[in-house]
Amino acid sequence: MKKKFVMSYSCGKDSTLSLYRMIREGHKPAALLITVDKKVLRSWFHGVPNDLLNEVSKSLGIPLLLVKCEGEEYSEAFKKALHKAKIELGAEACVFGDIDLEAHRTWCTDRCNEVEMEAIFPLWLENREKLTYEFIDTGFKTVIKNVRLNALSTDFLGKQLTHKVVKDIIKTGSDACGENGEYHTFVFDGPLFKYPIKFKENGIITNETHGFLDIVGVINE
């Protein structure tokens, strides 16, 4: 049975592949649910600025459902957004890009259960490396946006994910798909996009644990 769903979207490769699979199977996306750190107006975990989130929404042709919150509000704000998607948009399910981390699946499922919505995990328990290559071979393009410095160096920031780069990541001892938090990505083009997302690199920022590629949108002329 075809479902209307809201996509828990990070702008990264795994949630994009999950979205692609759902649409390919005939399900209908009602919105991209994206959590935003309201202190800095960038998406949580991936750090994508609002102007780029809007461009992604336009290119994908899927409305945004932004959840602006601080860390201590995260769970409650996510639950309220799911309830809004259910009542106002008719969403029956929320789709997630998690692969095999049980703690993540439990958290996501608990939020959905609170509003009596189905939680769907299209990539669940599939081989991490194969999923990464499937994403690349499907035609999506993504740039490495964040790295955990005890796993990967800042040299990886700004690189487009290719078979060669994945192999370089594996050589460091890191997971091919970064499921353990070794890296995060920003997807800017591919089969679902009406046009590629234009962005420019605005330098690299580091703290004690992570390196971040700062990206900003490019105004179309």
Side-chain angles (χ1 to χ4, degrees):
M1 191 173 73
K2 305 308 179 188
K3 297 180 182 294
K4 193 173 186 182
F5 68 95
V6 59
M7 182 74 222
S8 178
Y9 197 62
S10 66
C11 296
K13 60 180 178 52
D14 299 328
S15 59
T16 300
L17 184 59
S18 293
L19 176 64
Y20 175 74
R21 286 189 177 184
M22 291 293 290
I23 292 174
R24 188 179 60 185
E25 291 169 8
H27 304 291
K28 181 174 176 55
L32 302 171
L33 193 165
I34 302 179
T35 55
V36 173
D37 183 340
K38 67 182 182 183
K39 289 182 179 179
V40 296
L41 296 181
R42 289 172 177 258
S43 64
W44 275 101
F45 313 116
H46 289 229
V48 181
N50 270 11
D51 59 341
L52 284 176
L53 296 179
N54 285 318
E55 277 302 300
V56 167
S57 170
K58 289 177 186 176
S59 184
L60 291 175
I62 305 172
L64 282 181
L65 177 54
L66 292 183
V67 184
K68 296 180 180 180
C69 60
E70 296 185 23
E72 63 272 14
E73 307 169 316
Y74 195 95
S75 292
E76 184 65 20
F78 198 96
K79 181 186 79 171
K80 288 180 179 178
L82 288 179
H83 185 261
K84 181 177 181 178
K86 179 180 178 180
I87 300 302
E88 297 183 12
L89 303 177
E92 307 163 77
C94 185
V95 176
F96 301 90
D98 298 278
I99 299 172
D100 55 25
L101 298 182
E102 285 289 350
H104 287 193
R105 184 184 178 106
T106 297
W107 187 92
C108 298
T109 303
D110 286 348
R111 300 292 81 73
C112 288
N113 287 342
E114 288 172 341
V115 298
E116 298 181 335
M117 181 180 282
E118 183 181 0
I120 299 176
F121 301 84
L123 312 183
W124 192 248
L125 295 183
E126 294 190 33
N127 181 275
R128 293 178 176 185
E129 189 172 342
K130 286 183 179 179
L131 284 171
T132 306
Y133 291 136
E134 178 186 336
F135 170 85
I136 295 168
D137 294 340
T138 299
F140 288 106
K141 296 179 181 178
T142 192
V143 65
I144 296 178
K145 174 78 174 59
N146 305 348
V147 294
R148 199 179 70 223
L149 295 174
N150 66 359
L152 296 173
S153 75
T154 56
D155 292 339
F156 282 92
L157 292 172
K159 287 190 175 182
Q160 187 171 317
L161 202 62
T162 61
H163 280 251
K164 181 184 182 305
V165 171
V166 172
K167 289 179 170 60
D168 289 341
I169 289 170
I170 294 170
K171 286 177 184 175
T172 70
S174 297
D175 182 74
C177 76
E179 180 73 351
N180 301 313
E182 294 96 332
Y183 70 95
H184 292 302
T185 57
F186 173 69
V187 183
F188 60 90
D189 197 10
L192 295 177
F193 291 79
K194 294 181 178 69
Y195 57 86
I197 307 302
K198 293 182 179 181
F199 64 93
K200 63 179 179 180
E201 299 181 6
N202 200 33
I204 290 174
I205 303 167
T206 60
N207 58 27
E208 292 181 358
T209 58
H210 289 79
F212 307 89
L213 175 71
D214 188 25
I215 60 175
V216 294
V218 176
I219 299 173
N220 291 322
E221 297 180 354

